[in-house]
Amino acid sequence: MFALVSALLLGQVLGQAVTPPNSKASSSRLWSTSSAATWNNSYLIGNGRLGGAVPGNIASELVYINEDSFWSGGYIYRVNQDARSYMPEIQQLVRDGRVVEATNLADIAYTGTPLSARHYDTLATWEITMNHSSKATNGSYERYLDIDDATSGVYYDIAGTAYSREYIASQPAGVLAVRIASNTTGAVSLQAHIRRAPDGSLNRFEDYSRRVGNDTMVMGGNDASYPGIQFSAGTHVVAKGGSVYAIGDTVVVDHADEAWLYLQSWTTYRKDDPEAAVLSDLAAIEKTYPEIRAEHLADYQSFAHRVDLSFGNSSAEQQNMTTSQRVAAANSTFDPGFTSLFFQFGRYLLIASSRNGTLAANLQGIWNSQMDPFWGSKYTTNINVEMNYWPALVTNLADLQGPLDDLIAATREKGTNVSETMYGVNNGGWVLHHNTDMWGDAAPQDNYIYSTWWASAAPWMVSHQMEKYRFTGDTTYLRNVYPNLKSAAQFFVGFLSDYEGYKVVNPTISPENAYFPPNDNTTAVAITLGATMDTELLWELFNSIKEANELLHLGDDAFVAQLEALEAKLPPYRENYFGGLQEWIHDYQEAIPGIDHLSPLWAAYPGNQITSYNMTLFNWARETLNHRLQHGSASGGWGTAWCTALSGRFFRPDWATHCITHLLGTQLQPDSLLNNGAPSEFQADANYGMPAGMMELLVQSHESVSTAGSPSGYSPSPPSYGGSSANQTLTAAFTGDVNKAPLIRLLPALPEAFAAAGGGGYVSGLRARGGFEVGIVWDAKGGLVSANITSLIGGTAYVTLGDTPIGQSNGTAVKADGAGSGVFLKLMTKAGQSYAVTNA
């Protein structure tokens, strides 16, 4: 009798723990009433190194597993042995305007041998086969991904018995874990297995699969190359009640009340004996699932909860919609809660795919189900990997940039050799082309006229390191990465060549655009010299080195002088035939006017050279984006993210509205919110990039005000408060000048329709350059209610509201207690001080 009562009570307790998720009541969830029909509508979990794609099948769950270091093989040396000897001929053909001939020669003399670097690979499929029907009762099925606690879950009822599965990717524990429970005692029966081939038809590259004891199985193998990368993956099962045993290479659970499944995987990239490492880790798990979950939650929320964003309240109808329904409606009606959720989803993906000690987030983050994914799921360095890390600094995740720093170090190591053997530049410089792999392969990738002939990725990559200094003020970090900046510049010191009085990169392209040569409007070509984007990147690089040298007192003055002499000979900005910014050294007619790649606008975003301080240049750049949009640009995911950021920088909320609603309403997988990225499964770049772009509508800090000659100057320990700047004539400062203070621009381009739809909104925890944390509250008209600015490291900053250019005084004045008021309010702070800023 006692045993029967205990069993009934246990059933009641478990029943209380297994309840419908009611995801419609949660603002932090992606959710659906059906399992994923395709892999790319699965919900993604990750701990930086291990990733899982959870489709949420009822009876036969197939969780796709990835380990970030499982690529298609070891490093291969691909520098074309004839590139150096034929480089002068390619350059002369380009100088002579014989670009078709130059392209034909580059096809065989410039390209890598073989053409492609290593690609990212899929690892395995974690099979969890439930011993019950595959059909839920009475529409009870629900699955979700909760962005607030980084859990994914499945709930369903079968003939009165409710089941739930919860999935986590724990960074502290280093494993993937699943909790399976039911409201009925003894109802959890399952089989757990790991296999290599996604479709299960062949055990390709799977070399062993066996049980270990009675509660663990392990399998392993290698990639398709020799000697290649070996891997191992194992699962360990713990059950409350019932029994656990293994048969063959499958772990079985019979009539348990609850089961906990753990998965571990390693490769020879990190472990000499992956199998031994997997089994050791699984055997060492002593904490319960609730304990592992609690540590996972604390770890994840220490990142996720740094920023809170609300575009206001969604309607009751919107809140009750599934995720796919909200996607379907997003292109016609602004959905405040859904837009805020998408912002946090991008931050979630970065937290899940980029942790210190892991590899950088690749073209699909860390998630891939294909042995030969499109574009290799590699690191595309002419926009995509950089875009992955756009949100790191502004959305308060600077400590997740470490893997990008590691990738830069790897490419520098390999790129120094490529610089010498391919280009004949042996001065310590390093070169990187438009793509790389986990080994840092720096040789040219593919044979594609729109991307291959480009050697300017290193300046873009290291700009992220200079930006991290700007946001954090960490001089130790800047000192450590300065050799990367210098080496990137050294390559161009040795490679820049002469053309009509200028110093130019030759050959190059304007990624990923093409043009028509003079007197030929049918033959689209791309190879060129002196592209505008190269000039922008080199200007930023050379001046970053100048600024770092002075800030850190490095004594590198002779090298800085050499760079200044080269900078003076770079081609200038010019107006093109449609009133935009000229993209090439000559004013060619572009062949792809609606291209998503906004190459010549790099200096406006993510760079800082083009601002409203120079309205002539600013208007050329703004007209370039207008021209692109009129011809269909921002049609794909990452293009809309870049367009949104530029719309903010150009103070065009109407363009931003178009880009955001287009992405949310037409470019996302309906359940998972992953960017479509056709023909690949998805491309993660838009998911990462759009949150950063959206924040350019709310706060900007890329502009600087000159402090040269001011009474206080710029000091690490200035007086507590500054005075009013309302009547002060201000001038702008740019990269290369140490006598400057950041300008924090509040609400420069918030779409009024967004504010009206949500009834106002707020953001907190954003970071601004100069070491400031910013929060803003706005009303239903998009007007400032209040802002809070906290100085984290001390220093001077200016604050303005809206889009008034530096040097003008016709804007809306703001005020802060103890700091006066003005259109440009000057704050002179100590670390830890906060200022409440309101309309004057």
Side-chain angles (χ1 to χ4, degrees):
M1 181 65 179
F2 178 78
L4 177 60
V5 171
S6 298
L8 290 173
L9 289 174
L10 179 58
Q12 291 171 1
V13 170
L14 290 172
Q16 293 172 1
V18 181
T19 57
N22 193 25
S23 296
K24 68 176 65 176
S26 173
S27 61
S28 62
R29 285 188 176 180
L30 288 65
W31 67 285
S32 175
T33 56
S34 62
S35 60
T38 59
W39 177 90
N40 47 30
N41 266 305
S42 301
Y43 292 144
L44 305 183
I45 58 174
N47 65 9
R49 184 179 65 85
L50 290 175
V54 183
N57 296 316
I58 293 176
S60 182
E61 181 69 294
L62 299 174
V63 181
Y64 288 82
I65 303 301
N66 296 105
E67 206 273 357
D68 68 345
S69 66
F70 191 56
W71 287 58
S72 61
Y75 173 68
I76 47 177
Y77 186 75
R78 301 187 303 106
V79 175
N80 192 314
Q81 62 185 338
D82 294 312
R84 181 172 178 176
S85 60
Y86 280 95
M87 193 65 66
E89 185 175 346
I90 295 172
Q91 292 176 309
Q92 189 60 50
L93 288 170
V94 175
R95 279 193 292 267
D96 293 342
R98 298 160 63 185
V99 291
V100 173
E101 295 172 69
T103 301
N104 291 337
L105 181 56
D107 281 345
I108 55 177
Y110 187 107
T111 53
T113 51
L115 285 177
S116 294
R118 296 299 192 184
H119 68 262
Y120 190 48
D121 208 342
T122 186
L123 186 99
T125 306
W126 193 11
E127 296 179 315
I128 304 171
T129 304
M130 303 296 297
N131 186 22
H132 56 49
S133 171
S134 62
K135 294 184 179 180
T137 304
N138 299 326
S140 60
Y141 179 90
E142 187 175 321
R143 68 184 174 105
Y144 63 86
L145 174 64
D146 198 319
I147 304 306
D148 185 64
D149 60 12
T151 63
S152 183
V154 174
Y155 170 90
Y156 51 87
D157 181 284
I158 295 178
T161 298
Y163 294 89
S164 70
R165 295 197 298 269
E166 182 182 72
Y167 307 79
I168 61 173
S170 169
Q171 200 279 336
V175 297
L176 305 187
V178 184
R179 172 186 179 264
I180 303 174
S182 172
N183 67 347
T184 303
T185 302
V188 175
S189 296
L190 60 91
Q191 297 177 8
H193 177 69
I194 306 174
R195 68 187 186 201
R196 174 76 171 95
D199 61 6
S201 60
L202 296 171
N203 56 316
R204 288 182 294 172
F205 317 119
E206 183 179 330
D207 296 334
Y208 60 88
S209 180
R210 58 187 175 83
R211 69 174 177 87
V212 178
N214 290 319
D215 55 11
T216 302
M217 69 83 56
V218 65
M219 58 84 71
N222 57 72
D223 55 42
S225 64
Y226 178 83
I229 299 174
Q230 284 74 52
F231 77 95
S232 184
T235 186
H236 172 67
V237 180
V238 177
K240 295 173 64 176
S243 58
V244 178
Y245 54 94
I247 300 176
D249 58 1
T250 298
V251 181
V252 180
V253 176
D254 275 343
H255 303 296
D257 304 323
E258 187 171 321
W260 304 334
L261 282 65
Y262 304 103
L263 183 139
Q264 180 62 286
S265 177
W266 290 105
T267 78
T268 45
Y269 179 80
R270 293 188 177 95
K271 303 289 184 178
D272 292 335
D273 188 340
E275 181 184 6
V278 165
L279 293 176
S280 175
D281 287 353
L282 293 177
I285 296 175
E286 296 181 349
K287 294 179 180 178
T288 65
Y289 178 89
E291 291 172 328
I292 291 174
R293 187 188 192 279
E295 290 181 348
H296 156 74
L297 184 65
D299 167 73
Y300 170 75
Q301 291 184 342
S302 71
F303 295 95
H305 283 186
R306 295 175 185 177
V307 173
D308 189 13
L309 170 69
S310 172
F311 280 110
N313 297 318
S314 298
S315 68
E317 180 183 2
Q318 289 170 327
Q319 293 175 20
N320 287 330
M321 290 179 177
T322 64
T323 301
S324 61
Q325 290 169 335
R326 295 181 94 161
V327 169
N331 202 34
S332 58
T333 304
F334 181 68
D335 185 336
F338 176 59
T339 308
S340 301
L341 175 65
F342 183 77
F343 166 82
Q344 295 290 14
F345 178 60
R347 296 181 71 244
Y348 164 84
L349 291 178
L350 188 60
I351 298 167
S353 62
S354 183
R355 295 294 193 97
N356 287 336
T358 71
L359 296 175
N362 62 49
L363 201 61
Q364 293 181 188
I366 53 172
W367 301 278
N368 167 39
S369 71
Q370 299 176 339
M371 292 186 179
D372 186 17
F374 276 95
W375 304 297
S377 192
K378 297 191 293 291
Y379 299 109
T380 303
T381 51
N382 73 0
I383 175 63
N384 308 93
V385 69
E386 292 92 344
M387 183 176 284
N388 287 0
Y389 285 89
W390 282 358
L393 300 176
V394 69
T395 76
N396 211 337
L397 297 172
D399 38 358
L400 301 185
Q401 188 174 304
L404 181 64
D405 293 335
D406 294 340
L407 181 64
I408 290 170
T411 57
R412 179 184 166 199
E413 177 189 350
K414 303 297 192 301
T416 303
N417 175 271
V418 177
S419 172
E420 180 175 357
T421 58
M422 182 173 175
Y423 295 95
V425 178
N426 60 357
N427 59 1
W430 69 290
V431 63
L432 178 62
H433 298 85
H434 93 284
N435 221 292
T436 188
D437 60 15
M438 76 166 178
W439 305 107
D441 188 330
Q445 166 73 24
D446 300 329
N447 187 357
Y448 189 54
I449 67 169
Y450 304 109
S451 57
T452 299
W453 334 124
W454 189 67
S456 297
W460 193 342
M461 295 282 275
V462 298
S463 73
H464 282 256
Q465 300 187 309
M466 190 66 188
E467 282 281 76
K468 185 172 180 178
Y469 161 74
R470 292 179 180 132
F471 273 88
T472 64
D474 188 342
T475 54
T476 300
Y477 172 81
L478 181 59
R479 189 179 299 274
N480 289 338
V481 301
Y482 177 79
N484 296 336
L485 277 71
K486 182 174 181 179
S487 181
Q490 284 172 314
F491 169 74
F492 291 97
V493 167
F495 185 61
L496 289 177
S497 59
D498 296 311
Y499 181 75
E500 296 186 354
Y502 299 120
K503 289 292 185 180
V504 298
V505 180
N506 177 21
T508 190
I509 58 170
S510 184
E512 296 172 354
N513 209 351
Y515 64 92
F516 294 114
N519 304 315
D520 182 354
N521 61 359
T522 61
T523 306
V525 295
I527 202 167
T528 187
L529 51 76
T532 297
M533 186 182 187
D534 289 334
T535 298
E536 294 170 338
L537 288 166
L538 294 182
W539 183 92
E540 174 66 22
L541 175 62
F542 293 173
N543 283 282
S544 292
I545 291 170
K546 175 184 176 182
E547 186 173 339
N549 177 60
E550 187 171 350
L551 282 168
L552 301 176
H553 308 291
L554 296 174
D556 222 349
D557 299 354
F559 185 62
V560 169
Q562 189 177 18
L563 297 182
E564 289 178 328
L566 288 174
E567 181 194 335
K569 293 185 177 181
L570 293 175
Y573 289 117
R574 285 167 286 194
E575 183 180 12
N576 73 2
Y577 65 91
F578 60 78
L581 186 63
Q582 190 167 301
E583 188 164 353
W584 294 277
I585 192 70
H586 297 295
D587 195 12
Y588 301 122
Q589 180 182 348
E590 56 187 345
I592 317 173
I595 188 71
D596 274 358
H597 206 296
L598 304 169
S599 314
L601 299 180
W602 188 94
Y605 186 94
N608 59 32
Q609 187 180 4
I610 297 177
T611 72
S612 58
Y613 188 68
N614 183 333
M615 286 304 299
T616 298
L617 183 57
F618 187 74
N619 285 332
W620 291 350
R622 188 155 54 177
E623 180 55 31
T624 300
L625 181 56
N626 181 45
H627 178 79
R628 285 277 209 272
L629 290 172
Q630 289 177 343
H631 288 84
S633 185
S635 59
W638 59 266
T640 62
W642 201 350
C643 168
T644 301
L646 284 166
S647 298
R649 294 278 173 98
F650 292 149
F651 312 133
R652 290 298 302 262
D654 54 335
W655 293 349
T657 299
H658 163 75
C659 293
I660 293 171
T661 55
H662 178 72
L663 176 67
L664 297 185
T666 68
Q667 291 297 307
L668 301 179
Q669 297 292 338
D671 292 340
S672 66
L673 300 189
L674 298 173
N675 174 40
N676 283 332
S680 70
E681 292 177 317
F682 76 100
Q683 276 185 245
D685 39 31
N687 292 102
Y688 296 120
M690 182 58 86
M694 291 162 61
M695 293 307 96
E696 291 297 320
L697 312 180
L698 304 181
V699 62
Q700 297 175 6
S701 62
H702 62 290
E703 297 171 85
S704 297
V705 174
S706 174
T707 59
S710 64
S712 61
Y714 185 87
S715 170
S717 302
S720 298
Y721 295 102
S724 169
S725 62
N727 299 314
Q728 182 179 351
T729 300
L730 302 179
T731 58
F734 296 90
T735 304
D737 186 357
V738 298
N739 299 307
K740 61 186 176 184
L743 172 64
I744 299 174
R745 194 178 285 278
L746 305 175
L747 301 179
L750 174 64
E752 187 173 342
F754 285 13
Y762 63 86
V763 68
S764 64
L766 295 180
R767 289 294 175 89
R769 293 164 183 85
F772 294 91
E773 187 164 297
V774 181
I776 311 171
V777 180
W778 58 89
D779 60 27
K781 293 184 178 180
L784 176 69
V785 175
S786 65
N788 185 75
I789 298 175
T790 300
S791 175
L792 303 175
I793 60 175
T796 301
Y798 287 81
V799 181
T800 192
L801 176 64
D803 60 2
T804 303
I806 293 174
Q808 297 185 17
S809 58
N810 58 349
T812 301
V814 293
K815 64 180 181 181
D817 288 345
S821 65
V823 174
F824 290 89
L825 178 66
K826 186 177 183 180
L827 303 179
M828 301 178 67
T829 73
K830 290 182 179 178
Q833 285 182 322
S834 295
Y835 294 85
V837 178
T838 60
N839 287 296

